[in-house]
Amino acid sequence: MDNKAISKIFKLCSQLMELQNENPFRTKAMASASFKLDKLPFRIEETSLEELSAQPGIGKSTAEKAKEVATTGTFKELQDLLENTPSGIVEMLNIKGLGPKKIQIIWKELEIESIGELLYACNENRLVEAKGFGLKTQEDIKKSIEFSISNKGWFLYAKVFGVAEVFFNELKAHFPASLLSFTGDFRRKCEVLSTVDLLISESIESVEKFLGAYTLVEKTENSIEITDELGFTFKVFSSNINDFYLDLILSTGSTAHLDLLSTILVDLPPLSSEEAIYRNLGLDYIEPELREGLDEITRAQNHTLPQLIQYKNLKGTLHNHSTYSDGVHSLEQMALNCKEVLGLEYLGICDHSKTAVYANGLSIERLEQQWKEISSLNEKLAPFRIFSGIESDILGDGSLDYPDEILAKFDFVVASVHSNLKMDEDKATARLIKAIENPYTTILGHPTGRLLLSRSGYPIDYKKVIDACASNEVVIEINANPLRLDLDWRWHRYAIEKGVLLSINPDAHRTEGLQDMQYGVWVAQKGGVQSKDCLNTYSLQEITAYFSKRKQR
């Protein structure tokens, strides 16, 4: 169990303590422990109790609980609280806009104990008169519940990836002579999915016997659907050796892709690979990520499919955070990880700007301190280089939150929205365009502010925003955090057509987060991005020249 998961257990405990009117000092101490455990620069499960206890603000009691959570997933105090709290009330803690104090009113005064009851109460207008609520709060809660319900049964690709690999390897080990492949949404690397699909050249009866330890959901003549103890759903489809690769094509592609393919699909003899089948149809091989029913068939006919970007093409990483704002690891630790672990040539550091008080945003005095450290580290780590950047908040009127003379001192500026997210399309678009037109904006960060399966993001006119970036030579971020993956891959092609550079940015707040660039690469592949379309495939020399030219302009 990683530190973030352990931290969440402590946060849940503090919320339940507040919900049940436990001692406020102990409640705050539990919340503080959650924060401190999340920010530790080492893995809790890999350190000793003594070393953990010695950390500032931790202590022996918290350390013991943290080690217990790392081993068992819980601790006694939390279990006692859970036993005295209806499960529906615990679920409400996951609803955006509902904290312990409001839930306490819902539970104790309105006598509502489930999310279904709460949604009904919202529809009946029952929350309006409750203390601390009102019509707007009621509507926000209703929307959050509806959003949560609509996403039930869906998972982030990144969340499923590791479990899917284990499941695949188990099948492969048991059926070593069989053909086996991922297929469906998972093989196309869709950012969210409801099932992990696999195709195997085995009978369903044989597969069912092997999967006896899993929970059976549904079985047909040619498929079996099961779930594991975490709630992930797997579908295994049966094929035979002769038809395997044709079945793989038919089960991988989206409905739109298969509709396009059906216009040229004819009876085919058994062929030994997908490449051979596409070639037989007069097409270049189409990578699974591209099989979404856009222009891939025409481009395969015309031999103009993109040579998709690969992780190995990345030469550096931009938009990352350190302990100067809300990161877990120091500037030097982030740089050393990039240089020595990932083999990169450069790091762009973009700690939060002064408006982001919640994230320890940098005052001008602290900026100068960071610039001095960057200069010192660049001498020490040469030829590796740290570029001084900032994630500057886009304010409500579209301006950035430092004066021009400060913005001019950065190597590059990422402009992002972090506040006032409830904008209509016109306001959100105008706000972004004003920020894009600022001559110091280098990169537009996570353009819609979305959080997959949690927050839909503010609506924007994508074409107007992308056109503005093209006119002002502003790069658009593909935020590689698997919760964001923003800019959405469906708009990568339009950006490329307009000559806009993209940048695969991990938005890393710890060294482990740097590896999220892999998810950014995968989603960029879905968007048809090539190496030449991506800023951080530039070598150190090339990106140094790019930033220098940009600043001169």
Side-chain angles (χ1 to χ4, degrees):
M1 182 178 286
D2 64 21
N3 291 8
K4 188 166 286 296
I6 295 169
S7 169
K8 286 181 178 178
I9 296 293
F10 275 74
K11 181 181 178 182
L12 172 61
C13 188
S14 72
Q15 289 174 316
L16 292 175
M17 289 169 75
E18 184 177 355
L19 188 61
Q20 298 195 21
N21 293 321
E22 294 279 329
N23 183 297
F25 294 104
R26 293 187 62 250
T27 300
K28 287 181 181 178
M30 188 65 70
S32 175
S34 170
F35 178 81
K36 288 182 170 65
L37 292 169
D38 183 43
K39 296 299 182 182
L40 289 174
F42 52 78
R43 287 180 68 89
I44 292 167
E45 65 181 8
E46 295 174 358
T47 193
S48 68
L49 180 63
E50 291 72 22
E51 184 180 355
L52 185 56
S53 301
Q55 295 301 306
I58 300 293
K60 185 178 180 182
S61 175
T62 297
E64 287 174 343
K65 289 185 178 72
K67 294 295 284 183
E68 186 177 353
V69 172
T71 305
T72 67
T74 188
F75 56 94
K76 185 179 185 306
E77 188 172 359
L78 174 60
Q79 286 304 110
D80 290 343
L81 289 164
L82 286 169
E83 287 175 9
N84 293 315
T85 311
S87 59
I89 296 296
V90 178
E91 287 180 40
M92 287 182 198
L93 290 167
N94 295 316
I95 297 175
K96 186 173 168 43
L98 275 184
K101 292 192 186 307
K102 282 190 169 65
I103 295 174
Q104 192 177 62
I105 294 169
I106 290 168
W107 179 20
K108 299 297 185 181
E109 296 184 17
L110 301 180
E111 298 182 349
I112 293 170
E113 293 190 356
S114 73
I115 290 178
E117 288 178 292
L118 182 57
L119 180 59
Y120 185 79
C122 290
N123 290 330
E124 293 286 300
N125 233 23
R126 285 177 53 201
L127 266 63
V128 172
E129 300 301 326
K131 182 181 177 182
F133 285 85
L135 181 61
K136 185 177 183 302
T137 301
Q138 177 180 273
E139 287 304 301
D140 288 345
I141 291 170
K142 180 183 175 184
K143 287 177 183 177
S144 294
I145 294 171
E146 289 172 342
F147 191 86
S148 175
I149 290 172
S150 69
N151 288 319
K152 218 157 197 175
W154 289 82
F155 298 94
L156 295 176
Y157 180 87
K159 182 78 172 176
V160 174
F161 181 78
V163 180
E165 288 285 298
V166 170
F167 186 81
F168 180 96
N169 291 333
E170 287 176 351
L171 273 178
K172 190 63 184 174
H174 191 76
F175 300 105
S178 300
L179 297 173
L180 176 66
S181 173
F182 287 117
T183 189
D185 289 354
F186 185 84
R187 189 172 182 228
R188 297 202 315 280
K189 298 185 175 69
C190 294
E191 60 269 52
V192 295
L193 58 159
S194 58
T195 66
V196 174
D197 296 349
L198 301 97
L199 184 70
I200 189 169
S201 59
E202 280 289 339
S203 70
I204 285 300
E205 286 70 24
S206 298
V207 174
E208 184 182 17
K209 288 178 183 177
F210 172 66
L211 298 177
Y214 291 86
T215 302
L216 179 65
V217 177
E218 184 180 13
K219 178 190 172 186
T220 69
E221 183 180 351
N222 296 311
S223 69
I224 185 170
E225 181 176 342
I226 55 96
T227 60
D228 67 6
E229 69 277 6
L230 298 174
F232 294 132
T233 300
F234 297 91
K235 282 187 179 180
V236 183
F237 295 88
S238 172
S239 183
N240 59 66
I241 290 178
N242 288 335
D243 297 330
F244 184 85
Y245 292 103
L246 179 58
D247 286 344
L248 186 56
I249 287 176
L250 295 176
S251 58
T252 295
S254 69
T255 301
H257 176 80
L258 297 178
D259 286 345
L260 292 173
L261 201 60
S262 67
T263 62
I264 57 172
L265 195 61
V266 295
D267 291 333
L268 293 170
L271 294 168
S272 59
S273 68
E274 287 183 298
E275 288 85 349
I277 293 173
Y278 277 111
R279 190 164 55 246
N280 196 281
L281 296 172
L283 305 173
D284 289 343
Y285 176 70
I286 302 172
E287 296 288 349
E289 294 86 344
L290 293 176
R291 301 180 200 177
E292 293 290 350
L294 300 173
D295 60 354
E296 66 269 19
I297 299 295
T298 300
R299 296 187 70 172
Q301 290 171 325
N302 298 334
H303 312 296
T304 57
L305 285 169
Q307 295 295 313
L308 299 180
I309 188 171
Q310 303 296 319
Y311 185 86
K312 65 183 179 182
N313 299 141
L314 302 183
K315 299 295 189 291
T317 173
L318 305 170
H319 187 177
N320 303 284
H321 299 264
S322 73
T323 49
Y324 272 96
S325 65
D326 60 342
V328 171
H329 291 107
S330 69
L331 181 54
E332 183 171 9
Q333 287 172 317
M334 296 292 282
L336 287 172
N337 190 271
C338 288
K339 180 184 179 182
E340 298 176 359
V341 179
L342 301 181
L344 299 175
E345 298 177 14
Y346 52 86
L347 162 72
I349 200 70
C350 289
D351 280 305
H352 284 285
S353 57
K354 63 180 183 178
T355 301
V357 177
Y358 59 90
N360 194 27
L362 275 72
S363 64
I364 292 173
E365 292 75 21
R366 292 178 60 235
L367 277 174
E368 291 172 349
Q369 179 187 345
Q370 187 182 62
W371 291 336
K372 286 180 183 177
E373 184 176 354
I374 289 172
S375 179
S376 174
L377 285 171
N378 279 339
E379 288 184 18
K380 177 181 177 181
L381 301 176
F384 183 88
R385 180 166 176 184
I386 302 169
F387 289 103
S388 63
I390 194 74
E391 185 176 18
S392 184
D393 268 29
I394 300 174
L395 304 179
D397 63 356
S399 60
L400 304 187
D401 65 342
Y402 287 117
D404 288 354
E405 61 267 24
I406 297 299
L407 292 172
K409 294 182 179 182
F410 294 106
D411 291 318
F412 70 108
V413 173
V414 175
S416 306
V417 170
H418 292 107
S419 61
N420 189 17
L421 305 181
K422 296 178 181 178
M423 301 171 284
D424 61 32
E425 183 175 308
D426 289 343
K427 182 177 180 181
T429 300
R431 183 181 181 184
L432 291 185
I433 289 175
K434 183 173 179 181
I436 290 163
E437 291 174 344
N438 187 307
Y440 296 102
T441 298
T442 317
I443 300 173
L444 177 63
H446 44 72
T448 72
R450 76 178 185 183
L451 296 174
L452 292 167
L453 302 182
S454 177
R455 184 174 74 203
S456 57
Y458 41 84
I460 63 172
D461 186 321
Y462 283 92
K463 288 189 175 181
K464 285 184 179 179
V465 170
I466 292 170
D467 290 348
C469 287
S471 298
N472 292 276
E473 296 182 25
V474 168
V475 180
I476 300 180
E477 173 176 88
I478 301 173
N479 191 294
N481 185 309
L483 279 167
R484 290 192 184 274
L485 302 179
D486 182 19
L487 180 70
D488 190 292
W489 64 265
R490 295 159 187 84
W491 289 97
H492 294 180
R493 288 170 175 79
Y494 183 78
I496 293 166
E497 288 169 9
K498 291 294 179 177
V500 175
L501 271 176
L502 301 167
S503 182
I504 296 172
N505 296 339
D507 198 355
H509 286 65
R510 61 184 76 209
T511 54
E512 297 92 333
L514 293 163
Q515 297 177 32
D516 284 347
M517 286 194 294
Q518 180 64 78
Y519 299 114
V521 168
W522 283 332
V523 83
Q525 289 173 345
K526 290 191 68 58
V529 176
Q530 302 185 74
S531 178
K532 65 183 179 63
D533 304 320
C534 181
L535 177 63
N536 55 312
T537 64
Y538 286 19
S539 68
L540 176 58
Q541 182 178 359
E542 290 169 334
I543 202 165
T544 301
Y546 178 88
F547 287 151
S548 177
K549 182 180 178 182
R550 171 80 191 174
K551 288 185 72 171
Q552 289 171 10
R553 184 179 75 82

